[in-house]
Structures are given as C-alpha cells and as structure tokens.
Amino acid sequence: MSKLSVKKAISQFTPEQLRGLILDIYTKYKDAKEFLDFFADPDIEKTADRYREALNKEIYRVHHRQQSPRISVIKRILKDFSNLEPGFEAETTLRLEVLQRLTKVGCANRSTYRDTLFNGIGKFAADTCTFLERNGIIDEHIGIIREWVADTRSPKSWLNGFYNILNSSIEPWK
C-alpha cells in the first residue's frame, strides 16, 4: 500500500476512529510507542541517556572474552535516535561521544581487534565528520576529533594501523 492510499483511507476516518487507530498502533508496535512517547513528552536528555546506555553496552560488548563492538549496531541505534528528530545538537553530542569511546577502546585493544573493525571505526569517523559538515559545525569539532585520532598513535610503528586508518578517514577535513 502506498502513502497516498493510506492518506486517502485515513482521510475518511472520524476523529474518534483516528484516535483509536493511533492508540492501536501505540499498543502493538514498539517503535511507534517510542516515537509517540517522545512526541507527547520530548525529554531529549532522558531519551539521549537511554540511547547512550544502549550505545555504551554495544561499544564495550564482550564476545569470546574480547571487546568487540559491532559498528552496524551502533549505526542502527544512532539512526533510531535520529528518527525521533531530537535536533542535530543532541545527535552531534551522541555521535561525538560514540566516536571518542570507539577511538579509546580501539586504541586499548589494537592488538586484539581485527582490521575490519578498525576500518569500520574509520568509516564511522568519516560519517561523523560528514554529518558535522552537513550541519555546518565541522570547524567547531574537527580539532577535538584530530586530538582523539592523535591519541591512537603509538611509539611503536607496527601498532599504528589504527591511527593510519583513522587519520586517512578524517583527511578531507584537515
């Protein structure tokens, strides 16, 4: 069914039927419940804290006795948060917190992480910079991102794979 068909069907509802439909959707679908709860009471901090918890759980996830965050899950959580339309300031804060934690965790686990995870973190860094640039605030945050990337550098050159990936991913914004 297309959006136009749904719009046409809904236009024939009475206000009472429309309220009933919305309440049915609220009851049956978790995503709709979350969206309508946020719509009714847009407490951005409370919602951001809930998403921050889920993100931290994923960033510090342990699998086979090693920390192994899944970048795809992190991106999905951030997309779900974005779908609530909390404002780009809240999204920016959450994205930067995630990037900072990922660089710290990646640096601490550089000997046990695989290159695919490093590449995923690098792509996330580039996506974050793109998000910041699209909202016109890249200049405010690129300095701190560069510091986080510089902190991943090791005196032992053979450990600098993570640094090199991160550095090349933020290269266009230097």
Side-chain angles (χ1 to χ4, degrees):
M1 191 175 246
S2 69
K3 186 175 178 179
L4 186 62
S5 304
V6 172
K7 191 174 179 179
K8 185 177 177 184
I10 288 176
S11 69
Q12 297 171 2
F13 284 17
T14 65
E16 192 57 41
Q17 288 174 321
L18 195 55
R19 277 189 218 95
L21 176 65
I22 291 171
L23 290 175
D24 284 345
I25 291 170
Y26 180 86
T27 305
K28 293 179 183 176
Y29 300 101
K30 181 183 173 188
D31 291 344
K33 180 182 185 317
E34 184 175 11
F35 179 78
L36 291 169
D37 282 343
F38 187 75
F39 179 78
D41 181 24
D43 187 352
I44 294 172
E45 273 307 307
K46 181 179 165 187
T47 305
D49 287 342
R50 197 171 67 247
Y51 277 90
R52 193 172 286 117
E53 267 183 50
L55 287 163
N56 284 336
K57 185 176 178 182
E58 186 59 36
I59 291 168
Y60 299 110
R61 172 181 173 264
V62 175
H63 183 68
H64 295 298
R65 298 182 186 165
Q66 292 181 347
Q67 281 186 320
S68 57
R70 297 170 293 188
I71 302 301
S72 60
V73 174
I74 290 170
K75 285 181 178 181
R76 182 188 47 78
I77 293 169
L78 286 170
K79 185 174 184 329
D80 290 347
F81 182 69
S82 175
N83 286 341
L84 295 175
E85 298 177 0
F88 80 92
E89 297 91 0
E91 286 183 65
T92 299
T93 301
L94 210 53
R95 276 184 164 277
L96 289 172
E97 288 175 10
V98 168
L99 182 58
Q100 180 185 25
R101 288 186 183 103
L102 284 173
T103 56
K104 282 184 180 179
V105 169
C107 189
N109 295 298
R110 76 174 96 221
S111 61
T112 58
Y113 275 3
R114 298 178 192 265
D115 284 344
T116 53
L117 182 56
F118 287 147
N119 289 332
I121 295 171
K123 185 163 178 3
F124 181 79
D127 291 346
T128 299
C129 288
T130 301
F131 172 82
L132 296 172
E133 184 177 48
R134 190 174 53 233
N135 288 298
I137 55 173
I138 186 70
D139 295 335
E140 297 173 33
H141 300 286
I142 194 65
I144 191 74
I145 293 172
R146 283 190 201 124
E147 286 179 29
W148 297 335
V149 170
D151 288 345
T152 65
R153 189 172 207 151
S154 173
K156 299 176 183 175
S157 62
W158 59 274
L159 284 176
N160 280 328
F162 184 45
Y163 166 77
N164 293 335
I165 290 169
L166 282 175
N167 195 39
S168 66
S169 67
I170 66 165
E171 186 70 34
W173 294 279
K174 286 191 172 189

